Amino acid sequence: MSAQLISGRDIAATIREEVKERVTALNEATGRVPGLATVLVGEDPASQLYVGMKNKAAKAAGIHSEQITLPVDTPEDELLGVVQGLNANPDIHGILVQLPLPGHIDEHKVLLAVDPAKDVDGFHPVNVGKLSTGATDVLAPCTPWGVVQMLLRTGNDPRGKHVVVVGRSNIVGRPMASLLLRRGAGGDATVTVAHSRTPDLGAVTRLADILIVAVGRPGTVTADMVRPGAVVIDVGTNRVDAPDTERGYRVVGDVDFDAVKDVASWITPVPGGVGPMTIAMLLSNTVDAFEHLVGN
Ligand code: NDP
């Protein structure tokens, strides 16, 4: 058996097209467009790349986009002032502070400063709390929210299914579990969360109708750990040495793709799987925030 591929690239392209249509309709109705501000502190090349991609995608969808780049030694107070300014800016409906922040800045303080109504990353404790208490009118973290969309849009509704999530981070594993536990579309699953202290991981993952892996370690899930016919979503994004390639590295997931594809019914590739969904959901969240703040 060879699994069907879940192409995050294609699903993300569809969502970005839908976002563009929503932006056009909102502009016709209100005379305004949703606005996204990204804040980058320092010159970390990976962060620069991510922020650049987010701004480019926002512009392509017709979203007004502002990038604020601050020097690496920006004092915490100054950054908090920038965030307050964006909170008060009526042209901005989504605020994203690119993580990680330099060591002298308290990340938690900065995330707390973002107006929860503009928190398109879904990391503010108010949104985390709402999501974990089952609210549906909440800005959800982009990566797990993207995974839900991938499941729904390939006919793999998690309702009534046993979903095993491997990983309990605040960015992926925990919000993933909260989304899957919510009542209604994209939720209503029976959820098990495993992590580094789970003994015999395979015994747990083999129970999964849907297996979602967010660990950050290549080869974490091998074919014998997957129930035949399961849906496998690989969030992992890892660089491994590949001296034979021009770049010198390859990007792989946490799942042994070549072996697991012969056991699973559906599987996401890496790259081209969950990765492209994150930006698509950021744009979608920005339009949701606009609708909430401005009305539709
Ligand atoms: P974290 O390092 O924050 O969390 C990793 C989780 O995996 C932890 O809960 C950890 O357990 C668990 N874990 C580690 N080793 C094992 C093991 N051997 N068996 C079972 N569980 C284990 O990572 P993130 O959640 O931030 O990211 C996970 C992966 O997803 C990374 O590869 C990251 O690059 C990728 N990612 C991709 C995104 C995208 O595609 N857009 C977005 C975000 C992340 P414990 O809590 O006990 O330490």
Side-chain angles (χ1 to χ4, degrees), residues 232-269:
V232 178
I233 308 285
D234 190 353
V235 184
T237 311
N238 311 293
R239 278 186 183 191
V240 293
D241 288 342
D244 52 319
T245 65
E246 202 178 308
R247 292 187 301 188
Y249 67 87
R250 270 185 313 124
V251 176
V252 300
D254 293 338
V255 172
D256 179 359
F257 179 88
D258 288 336
V260 171
K261 75 175 185 344
D262 293 331
V263 181
S265 59
W266 293 83
I267 190 167
T268 58

PDB file of all heavy atoms in Angstrom, residues 232-269:
ATOM      1  N   VAL A 232      -0.996  10.189   8.769  1.00  0.00           N
ATOM      2  CA  VAL A 232       0.225  10.633   9.463  1.00  0.00           C
ATOM      3  C   VAL A 232       0.566  12.069   9.050  1.00  0.00           C
ATOM      4  O   VAL A 232       0.754  12.363   7.866  1.00  0.00           O
ATOM      5  CB  VAL A 232       1.409   9.691   9.152  1.00  0.00           C
ATOM      6  CG1 VAL A 232       2.680  10.185   9.840  1.00  0.00           C
ATOM      7  CG2 VAL A 232       1.086   8.266   9.619  1.00  0.00           C
ATOM      8  N   ILE A 233       0.622  12.940  10.058  1.00  0.00           N
ATOM      9  CA  ILE A 233       0.958  14.348   9.827  1.00  0.00           C
ATOM     10  C   ILE A 233       2.295  14.617  10.500  1.00  0.00           C
ATOM     11  O   ILE A 233       2.430  14.484  11.720  1.00  0.00           O
ATOM     12  CB  ILE A 233      -0.107  15.291  10.454  1.00  0.00           C
ATOM     13  CG1 ILE A 233      -1.526  14.927  10.001  1.00  0.00           C
ATOM     14  CG2 ILE A 233       0.252  16.755  10.179  1.00  0.00           C
ATOM     15  CD1 ILE A 233      -1.891  15.313   8.609  1.00  0.00           C
ATOM     16  N   ASP A 234       3.264  15.015   9.706  1.00  0.00           N
ATOM     17  CA  ASP A 234       4.633  15.225  10.196  1.00  0.00           C
ATOM     18  C   ASP A 234       4.922  16.723  10.275  1.00  0.00           C
ATOM     19  O   ASP A 234       5.101  17.391   9.253  1.00  0.00           O
ATOM     20  CB  ASP A 234       5.601  14.533   9.214  1.00  0.00           C
ATOM     21  CG  ASP A 234       7.025  14.476   9.734  1.00  0.00           C
ATOM     22  OD1 ASP A 234       7.307  15.081  10.788  1.00  0.00           O
ATOM     23  OD2 ASP A 234       7.854  13.810   9.081  1.00  0.00           O
ATOM     24  N   VAL A 235       4.947  17.249  11.494  1.00  0.00           N
ATOM     25  CA  VAL A 235       5.213  18.680  11.670  1.00  0.00           C
ATOM     26  C   VAL A 235       6.726  18.954  11.702  1.00  0.00           C
ATOM     27  O   VAL A 235       7.181  20.054  11.420  1.00  0.00           O
ATOM     28  CB  VAL A 235       4.556  19.201  12.978  1.00  0.00           C
ATOM     29  CG1 VAL A 235       4.732  20.709  13.130  1.00  0.00           C
ATOM     30  CG2 VAL A 235       3.067  18.859  13.009  1.00  0.00           C
ATOM     31  N   GLY A 236       7.486  17.948  12.012  1.00  0.00           N
ATOM     32  CA  GLY A 236       8.940  18.105  12.180  1.00  0.00           C
ATOM     33  C   GLY A 236       9.622  18.745  10.980  1.00  0.00           C
ATOM     34  O   GLY A 236       9.276  18.468   9.828  1.00  0.00           O
ATOM     35  N   THR A 237      10.558  19.626  11.260  1.00  0.00           N
ATOM     36  CA  THR A 237      11.337  20.294  10.217  1.00  0.00           C
ATOM     37  C   THR A 237      12.783  20.279  10.685  1.00  0.00           C
ATOM     38  O   THR A 237      13.146  21.034  11.578  1.00  0.00           O
ATOM     39  CB  THR A 237      10.854  21.756  10.047  1.00  0.00           C
ATOM     40  OG1 THR A 237       9.428  21.753   9.933  1.00  0.00           O
ATOM     41  CG2 THR A 237      11.437  22.404   8.815  1.00  0.00           C
ATOM     42  N   ASN A 238      13.548  19.360  10.127  1.00  0.00           N
ATOM     43  CA  ASN A 238      14.930  19.180  10.604  1.00  0.00           C
ATOM     44  C   ASN A 238      15.904  19.249   9.435  1.00  0.00           C
ATOM     45  O   ASN A 238      15.626  18.712   8.368  1.00  0.00           O
ATOM     46  CB  ASN A 238      15.058  17.796  11.249  1.00  0.00           C
ATOM     47  CG  ASN A 238      13.952  17.519  12.256  1.00  0.00           C
ATOM     48  OD1 ASN A 238      13.892  18.163  13.290  1.00  0.00           O
ATOM     49  ND2 ASN A 238      13.059  16.576  11.937  1.00  0.00           N
ATOM     50  N   ARG A 239      17.027  19.892   9.691  1.00  0.00           N
ATOM     51  CA  ARG A 239      18.099  19.911   8.684  1.00  0.00           C
ATOM     52  C   ARG A 239      19.039  18.747   8.943  1.00  0.00           C
ATOM     53  O   ARG A 239      19.520  18.588  10.069  1.00  0.00           O
ATOM     54  CB  ARG A 239      18.908  21.191   8.813  1.00  0.00           C
ATOM     55  CG  ARG A 239      18.267  22.355   8.112  1.00  0.00           C
ATOM     56  CD  ARG A 239      19.219  23.533   8.162  1.00  0.00           C
ATOM     57  NE  ARG A 239      18.593  24.678   7.557  1.00  0.00           N
ATOM     58  CZ  ARG A 239      19.221  25.793   7.249  1.00  0.00           C
ATOM     59  NH1 ARG A 239      20.505  25.918   7.501  1.00  0.00           N
ATOM     60  NH2 ARG A 239      18.595  26.804   6.694  1.00  0.00           N
ATOM     61  N   VAL A 240      19.303  17.945   7.919  1.00  0.00           N
ATOM     62  CA  VAL A 240      20.310  16.890   8.074  1.00  0.00           C
ATOM     63  C   VAL A 240      21.389  17.094   7.014  1.00  0.00           C
ATOM     64  O   VAL A 240      21.111  17.579   5.911  1.00  0.00           O
ATOM     65  CB  VAL A 240      19.688  15.471   7.949  1.00  0.00           C
ATOM     66  CG1 VAL A 240      18.744  15.180   9.105  1.00  0.00           C
ATOM     67  CG2 VAL A 240      18.971  15.281   6.620  1.00  0.00           C
ATOM     68  N   ASP A 241      22.600  16.730   7.370  1.00  0.00           N
ATOM     69  CA  ASP A 241      23.725  16.904   6.450  1.00  0.00           C
ATOM     70  C   ASP A 241      23.487  16.119   5.167  1.00  0.00           C
ATOM     71  O   ASP A 241      23.048  14.970   5.207  1.00  0.00           O
ATOM     72  CB  ASP A 241      25.025  16.400   7.098  1.00  0.00           C
ATOM     73  CG  ASP A 241      25.474  17.345   8.199  1.00  0.00           C
ATOM     74  OD1 ASP A 241      24.997  18.490   8.204  1.00  0.00           O
ATOM     75  OD2 ASP A 241      26.267  16.917   9.060  1.00  0.00           O
ATOM     76  N   ALA A 242      23.776  16.761   4.057  1.00  0.00           N
ATOM     77  CA  ALA A 242      23.687  16.077   2.762  1.00  0.00           C
ATOM     78  C   ALA A 242      24.797  16.652   1.876  1.00  0.00           C
ATOM     79  O   ALA A 242      24.567  17.563   1.078  1.00  0.00           O
ATOM     80  CB  ALA A 242      22.313  16.290   2.140  1.00  0.00           C
ATOM     81  N   PRO A 243      26.026  16.138   2.078  1.00  0.00           N
ATOM     82  CA  PRO A 243      27.183  16.707   1.367  1.00  0.00           C
ATOM     83  C   PRO A 243      27.041  16.628  -0.147  1.00  0.00           C
ATOM     84  O   PRO A 243      27.665  17.410  -0.867  1.00  0.00           O
ATOM     85  CB  PRO A 243      28.357  15.840   1.836  1.00  0.00           C
ATOM     86  CG  PRO A 243      27.840  14.975   2.939  1.00  0.00           C
ATOM     87  CD  PRO A 243      26.360  14.986   2.902  1.00  0.00           C
ATOM     88  N   ASP A 244      26.198  15.714  -0.641  1.00  0.00           N
ATOM     89  CA  ASP A 244      26.024  15.561  -2.085  1.00  0.00           C
ATOM     90  C   ASP A 244      25.135  16.649  -2.679  1.00  0.00           C
ATOM     91  O   ASP A 244      25.014  16.760  -3.895  1.00  0.00           O
ATOM     92  CB  ASP A 244      25.420  14.168  -2.382  1.00  0.00           C
ATOM     93  CG  ASP A 244      24.157  13.897  -1.569  1.00  0.00           C
ATOM     94  OD1 ASP A 244      24.147  14.267  -0.368  1.00  0.00           O
ATOM     95  OD2 ASP A 244      23.193  13.352  -2.134  1.00  0.00           O
ATOM     96  N   THR A 245      24.490  17.471  -1.848  1.00  0.00           N
ATOM     97  CA  THR A 245      23.611  18.516  -2.384  1.00  0.00           C
ATOM     98  C   THR A 245      24.344  19.856  -2.422  1.00  0.00           C
ATOM     99  O   THR A 245      25.353  20.033  -1.717  1.00  0.00           O
ATOM    100  CB  THR A 245      22.341  18.686  -1.523  1.00  0.00           C
ATOM    101  OG1 THR A 245      22.769  19.153  -0.233  1.00  0.00           O
ATOM    102  CG2 THR A 245      21.591  17.382  -1.366  1.00  0.00           C
ATOM    103  N   GLU A 246      23.786  20.779  -3.201  1.00  0.00           N
ATOM    104  CA  GLU A 246      24.424  22.093  -3.353  1.00  0.00           C
ATOM    105  C   GLU A 246      24.468  22.848  -2.024  1.00  0.00           C
ATOM    106  O   GLU A 246      25.455  23.472  -1.663  1.00  0.00           O
ATOM    107  CB  GLU A 246      23.625  22.893  -4.392  1.00  0.00           C
ATOM    108  CG  GLU A 246      24.412  24.013  -5.025  1.00  0.00           C
ATOM    109  CD  GLU A 246      23.582  24.731  -6.085  1.00  0.00           C
ATOM    110  OE1 GLU A 246      23.039  24.033  -6.988  1.00  0.00           O
ATOM    111  OE2 GLU A 246      23.445  25.950  -5.962  1.00  0.00           O
ATOM    112  N   ARG A 247      23.330  22.752  -1.273  1.00  0.00           N
ATOM    113  CA  ARG A 247      23.244  23.488  -0.002  1.00  0.00           C
ATOM    114  C   ARG A 247      24.009  22.793   1.125  1.00  0.00           C
ATOM    115  O   ARG A 247      24.278  23.397   2.155  1.00  0.00           O
ATOM    116  CB  ARG A 247      21.771  23.617   0.422  1.00  0.00           C
ATOM    117  CG  ARG A 247      20.961  24.521  -0.489  1.00  0.00           C
ATOM    118  CD  ARG A 247      19.575  24.750   0.045  1.00  0.00           C
ATOM    119  NE  ARG A 247      18.814  23.502   0.207  1.00  0.00           N
ATOM    120  CZ  ARG A 247      17.526  23.446   0.522  1.00  0.00           C
ATOM    121  NH1 ARG A 247      16.853  24.558   0.731  1.00  0.00           N
ATOM    122  NH2 ARG A 247      16.904  22.292   0.648  1.00  0.00           N
ATOM    123  N   GLY A 248      24.271  21.493   0.934  1.00  0.00           N
ATOM    124  CA  GLY A 248      24.983  20.744   1.976  1.00  0.00           C
ATOM    125  C   GLY A 248      24.070  20.152   3.028  1.00  0.00           C
ATOM    126  O   GLY A 248      24.529  19.518   3.970  1.00  0.00           O
ATOM    127  N   TYR A 249      22.766  20.399   2.896  1.00  0.00           N
ATOM    128  CA  TYR A 249      21.823  19.812   3.846  1.00  0.00           C
ATOM    129  C   TYR A 249      20.487  19.529   3.146  1.00  0.00           C
ATOM    130  O   TYR A 249      20.212  20.055   2.067  1.00  0.00           O
ATOM    131  CB  TYR A 249      21.585  20.739   5.044  1.00  0.00           C
ATOM    132  CG  TYR A 249      20.867  22.023   4.703  1.00  0.00           C
ATOM    133  CD1 TYR A 249      19.478  22.096   4.689  1.00  0.00           C
ATOM    134  CD2 TYR A 249      21.577  23.180   4.375  1.00  0.00           C
ATOM    135  CE1 TYR A 249      18.812  23.275   4.372  1.00  0.00           C
ATOM    136  CE2 TYR A 249      20.922  24.367   4.042  1.00  0.00           C
ATOM    137  CZ  TYR A 249      19.541  24.404   4.059  1.00  0.00           C
ATOM    138  OH  TYR A 249      18.892  25.550   3.735  1.00  0.00           O
ATOM    139  N   ARG A 250      19.689  18.680   3.792  1.00  0.00           N
ATOM    140  CA  ARG A 250      18.333  18.403   3.340  1.00  0.00           C
ATOM    141  C   ARG A 250      17.393  18.682   4.503  1.00  0.00           C
ATOM    142  O   ARG A 250      17.799  18.583   5.659  1.00  0.00           O
ATOM    143  CB  ARG A 250      18.196  16.924   2.961  1.00  0.00           C
ATOM    144  CG  ARG A 250      18.517  16.624   1.512  1.00  0.00           C
ATOM    145  CD  ARG A 250      18.256  15.174   1.151  1.00  0.00           C
ATOM    146  NE  ARG A 250      18.803  14.230   2.109  1.00  0.00           N
ATOM    147  CZ  ARG A 250      18.096  13.293   2.739  1.00  0.00           C
ATOM    148  NH1 ARG A 250      16.795  13.189   2.530  1.00  0.00           N
ATOM    149  NH2 ARG A 250      18.657  12.453   3.585  1.00  0.00           N
ATOM    150  N   VAL A 251      16.147  19.000   4.187  1.00  0.00           N
ATOM    151  CA  VAL A 251      15.148  19.184   5.244  1.00  0.00           C
ATOM    152  C   VAL A 251      14.289  17.928   5.301  1.00  0.00           C
ATOM    153  O   VAL A 251      13.751  17.487   4.281  1.00  0.00           O
ATOM    154  CB  VAL A 251      14.277  20.436   4.964  1.00  0.00           C
ATOM    155  CG1 VAL A 251      13.171  20.577   6.009  1.00  0.00           C
ATOM    156  CG2 VAL A 251      15.156  21.688   4.959  1.00  0.00           C
ATOM    157  N   VAL A 252      14.204  17.343   6.487  1.00  0.00           N
ATOM    158  CA  VAL A 252      13.389  16.135   6.666  1.00  0.00           C
ATOM    159  C   VAL A 252      12.479  16.331   7.882  1.00  0.00           C
ATOM    160  O   VAL A 252      12.716  17.210   8.712  1.00  0.00           O
ATOM    161  CB  VAL A 252      14.263  14.871   6.876  1.00  0.00           C
ATOM    162  CG1 VAL A 252      15.175  14.619   5.682  1.00  0.00           C
ATOM    163  CG2 VAL A 252      15.078  14.973   8.158  1.00  0.00           C
ATOM    164  N   GLY A 253      11.479  15.469   7.964  1.00  0.00           N
ATOM    165  CA  GLY A 253      10.557  15.541   9.097  1.00  0.00           C
ATOM    166  C   GLY A 253      11.009  14.658  10.246  1.00  0.00           C
ATOM    167  O   GLY A 253      12.178  14.265  10.343  1.00  0.00           O
ATOM    168  N   ASP A 254      10.050  14.330  11.112  1.00  0.00           N
ATOM    169  CA  ASP A 254      10.315  13.444  12.257  1.00  0.00           C
ATOM    170  C   ASP A 254       9.947  11.998  11.928  1.00  0.00           C
ATOM    171  O   ASP A 254      10.223  11.090  12.710  1.00  0.00           O
ATOM    172  CB  ASP A 254       9.457  13.877  13.459  1.00  0.00           C
ATOM    173  CG  ASP A 254       9.866  15.233  14.006  1.00  0.00           C
ATOM    174  OD1 ASP A 254      11.019  15.650  13.766  1.00  0.00           O
ATOM    175  OD2 ASP A 254       9.031  15.871  14.670  1.00  0.00           O
ATOM    176  N   VAL A 255       9.271  11.826  10.782  1.00  0.00           N
ATOM    177  CA  VAL A 255       8.743  10.515  10.409  1.00  0.00           C
ATOM    178  C   VAL A 255       9.626   9.920   9.313  1.00  0.00           C
ATOM    179  O   VAL A 255      10.060  10.641   8.405  1.00  0.00           O
ATOM    180  CB  VAL A 255       7.282  10.675   9.899  1.00  0.00           C
ATOM    181  CG1 VAL A 255       6.748   9.383   9.322  1.00  0.00           C
ATOM    182  CG2 VAL A 255       6.380  11.183  11.025  1.00  0.00           C
ATOM    183  N   ASP A 256       9.863   8.629   9.396  1.00  0.00           N
ATOM    184  CA  ASP A 256      10.612   7.930   8.349  1.00  0.00           C
ATOM    185  C   ASP A 256       9.677   7.779   7.137  1.00  0.00           C
ATOM    186  O   ASP A 256       9.001   6.769   6.965  1.00  0.00           O
ATOM    187  CB  ASP A 256      11.065   6.562   8.887  1.00  0.00           C
ATOM    188  CG  ASP A 256      11.825   5.766   7.844  1.00  0.00           C
ATOM    189  OD1 ASP A 256      11.985   6.248   6.698  1.00  0.00           O
ATOM    190  OD2 ASP A 256      12.254   4.644   8.180  1.00  0.00           O
ATOM    191  N   PHE A 257       9.647   8.846   6.322  1.00  0.00           N
ATOM    192  CA  PHE A 257       8.643   8.959   5.257  1.00  0.00           C
ATOM    193  C   PHE A 257       8.635   7.749   4.323  1.00  0.00           C
ATOM    194  O   PHE A 257       7.579   7.189   4.036  1.00  0.00           O
ATOM    195  CB  PHE A 257       8.886  10.256   4.471  1.00  0.00           C
ATOM    196  CG  PHE A 257       7.914  10.470   3.337  1.00  0.00           C
ATOM    197  CD1 PHE A 257       6.708  11.107   3.553  1.00  0.00           C
ATOM    198  CD2 PHE A 257       8.196  10.008   2.054  1.00  0.00           C
ATOM    199  CE1 PHE A 257       5.801  11.293   2.522  1.00  0.00           C
ATOM    200  CE2 PHE A 257       7.295  10.183   1.019  1.00  0.00           C
ATOM    201  CZ  PHE A 257       6.102  10.828   1.255  1.00  0.00           C
ATOM    202  N   ASP A 258       9.808   7.353   3.832  1.00  0.00           N
ATOM    203  CA  ASP A 258       9.867   6.303   2.804  1.00  0.00           C
ATOM    204  C   ASP A 258       9.258   4.988   3.281  1.00  0.00           C
ATOM    205  O   ASP A 258       8.600   4.287   2.502  1.00  0.00           O
ATOM    206  CB  ASP A 258      11.318   6.071   2.363  1.00  0.00           C
ATOM    207  CG  ASP A 258      11.810   7.235   1.521  1.00  0.00           C
ATOM    208  OD1 ASP A 258      10.957   7.934   0.928  1.00  0.00           O
ATOM    209  OD2 ASP A 258      13.033   7.470   1.485  1.00  0.00           O
ATOM    210  N   ALA A 259       9.449   4.661   4.547  1.00  0.00           N
ATOM    211  CA  ALA A 259       8.896   3.411   5.072  1.00  0.00           C
ATOM    212  C   ALA A 259       7.438   3.591   5.508  1.00  0.00           C
ATOM    213  O   ALA A 259       6.589   2.729   5.242  1.00  0.00           O
ATOM    214  CB  ALA A 259       9.739   2.919   6.244  1.00  0.00           C
ATOM    215  N   VAL A 260       7.133   4.720   6.136  1.00  0.00           N
ATOM    216  CA  VAL A 260       5.789   4.917   6.698  1.00  0.00           C
ATOM    217  C   VAL A 260       4.748   5.094   5.585  1.00  0.00           C
ATOM    218  O   VAL A 260       3.589   4.704   5.743  1.00  0.00           O
ATOM    219  CB  VAL A 260       5.783   6.104   7.697  1.00  0.00           C
ATOM    220  CG1 VAL A 260       4.359   6.458   8.123  1.00  0.00           C
ATOM    221  CG2 VAL A 260       6.629   5.766   8.922  1.00  0.00           C
ATOM    222  N   LYS A 261       5.154   5.619   4.435  1.00  0.00           N
ATOM    223  CA  LYS A 261       4.180   5.816   3.350  1.00  0.00           C
ATOM    224  C   LYS A 261       3.588   4.482   2.881  1.00  0.00           C
ATOM    225  O   LYS A 261       2.502   4.446   2.298  1.00  0.00           O
ATOM    226  CB  LYS A 261       4.785   6.612   2.195  1.00  0.00           C
ATOM    227  CG  LYS A 261       5.737   5.853   1.312  1.00  0.00           C
ATOM    228  CD  LYS A 261       6.155   6.741   0.157  1.00  0.00           C
ATOM    229  CE  LYS A 261       7.029   6.093  -0.898  1.00  0.00           C
ATOM    230  NZ  LYS A 261       7.717   4.841  -0.630  1.00  0.00           N
ATOM    231  N   ASP A 262       4.276   3.393   3.134  1.00  0.00           N
ATOM    232  CA  ASP A 262       3.746   2.080   2.733  1.00  0.00           C
ATOM    233  C   ASP A 262       2.779   1.488   3.761  1.00  0.00           C
ATOM    234  O   ASP A 262       2.187   0.437   3.527  1.00  0.00           O
ATOM    235  CB  ASP A 262       4.900   1.093   2.501  1.00  0.00           C
ATOM    236  CG  ASP A 262       5.727   1.498   1.289  1.00  0.00           C
ATOM    237  OD1 ASP A 262       5.152   2.126   0.371  1.00  0.00           O
ATOM    238  OD2 ASP A 262       6.945   1.231   1.268  1.00  0.00           O
ATOM    239  N   VAL A 263       2.640   2.163   4.883  1.00  0.00           N
ATOM    240  CA  VAL A 263       1.758   1.663   5.955  1.00  0.00           C
ATOM    241  C   VAL A 263       0.541   2.584   6.115  1.00  0.00           C
ATOM    242  O   VAL A 263      -0.577   2.121   6.339  1.00  0.00           O
ATOM    243  CB  VAL A 263       2.532   1.610   7.302  1.00  0.00           C
ATOM    244  CG1 VAL A 263       1.646   1.082   8.415  1.00  0.00           C
ATOM    245  CG2 VAL A 263       3.795   0.771   7.174  1.00  0.00           C
ATOM    246  N   ALA A 264       0.777   3.899   5.987  1.00  0.00           N
ATOM    247  CA  ALA A 264      -0.271   4.899   6.235  1.00  0.00           C
ATOM    248  C   ALA A 264      -1.249   4.962   5.063  1.00  0.00           C
ATOM    249  O   ALA A 264      -0.953   4.482   3.960  1.00  0.00           O
ATOM    250  CB  ALA A 264       0.383   6.264   6.442  1.00  0.00           C
ATOM    251  N   SER A 265      -2.430   5.570   5.325  1.00  0.00           N
ATOM    252  CA  SER A 265      -3.367   5.811   4.217  1.00  0.00           C
ATOM    253  C   SER A 265      -3.136   7.197   3.604  1.00  0.00           C
ATOM    254  O   SER A 265      -3.343   7.406   2.412  1.00  0.00           O
ATOM    255  CB  SER A 265      -4.814   5.686   4.710  1.00  0.00           C
ATOM    256  OG  SER A 265      -5.055   6.606   5.748  1.00  0.00           O
ATOM    257  N   TRP A 266      -2.769   8.142   4.460  1.00  0.00           N
ATOM    258  CA  TRP A 266      -2.446   9.503   4.025  1.00  0.00           C
ATOM    259  C   TRP A 266      -1.195   9.931   4.773  1.00  0.00           C
ATOM    260  O   TRP A 266      -1.028   9.567   5.939  1.00  0.00           O
ATOM    261  CB  TRP A 266      -3.562  10.493   4.407  1.00  0.00           C
ATOM    262  CG  TRP A 266      -4.863  10.321   3.706  1.00  0.00           C
ATOM    263  CD1 TRP A 266      -5.858   9.452   4.043  1.00  0.00           C
ATOM    264  CD2 TRP A 266      -5.341  11.059   2.580  1.00  0.00           C
ATOM    265  NE1 TRP A 266      -6.923   9.606   3.200  1.00  0.00           N
ATOM    266  CE2 TRP A 266      -6.637  10.589   2.288  1.00  0.00           C
ATOM    267  CE3 TRP A 266      -4.803  12.079   1.780  1.00  0.00           C
ATOM    268  CZ2 TRP A 266      -7.394  11.099   1.237  1.00  0.00           C
ATOM    269  CZ3 TRP A 266      -5.563  12.584   0.752  1.00  0.00           C
ATOM    270  CH2 TRP A 266      -6.842  12.095   0.475  1.00  0.00           C
ATOM    271  N   ILE A 267      -0.379  10.755   4.126  1.00  0.00           N
ATOM    272  CA  ILE A 267       0.843  11.226   4.804  1.00  0.00           C
ATOM    273  C   ILE A 267       1.256  12.591   4.247  1.00  0.00           C
ATOM    274  O   ILE A 267       1.036  12.873   3.059  1.00  0.00           O
ATOM    275  CB  ILE A 267       1.984  10.179   4.641  1.00  0.00           C
ATOM    276  CG1 ILE A 267       3.182  10.515   5.531  1.00  0.00           C
ATOM    277  CG2 ILE A 267       2.421  10.045   3.185  1.00  0.00           C
ATOM    278  CD1 ILE A 267       4.191   9.373   5.662  1.00  0.00           C
ATOM    279  N   THR A 268       1.818  13.420   5.116  1.00  0.00           N
ATOM    280  CA  THR A 268       2.343  14.718   4.652  1.00  0.00           C
ATOM    281  C   THR A 268       3.828  14.568   4.326  1.00  0.00           C
ATOM    282  O   THR A 268       4.565  13.931   5.080  1.00  0.00           O
ATOM    283  CB  THR A 268       2.205  15.798   5.751  1.00  0.00           C
ATOM    284  OG1 THR A 268       2.900  15.365   6.924  1.00  0.00           O
ATOM    285  CG2 THR A 268       0.765  16.087   6.088  1.00  0.00           C
ATOM    286  N   PRO A 269       4.269  15.161   3.238  1.00  0.00           N
ATOM    287  CA  PRO A 269       5.714  15.163   2.955  1.00  0.00           C
ATOM    288  C   PRO A 269       6.411  16.272   3.740  1.00  0.00           C
ATOM    289  O   PRO A 269       5.758  17.176   4.250  1.00  0.00           O
ATOM    290  CB  PRO A 269       5.761  15.479   1.455  1.00  0.00           C
ATOM    291  CG  PRO A 269       4.555  16.330   1.223  1.00  0.00           C
ATOM    292  CD  PRO A 269       3.508  15.895   2.216  1.00  0.00           C
TER     293      PRO A 269
END
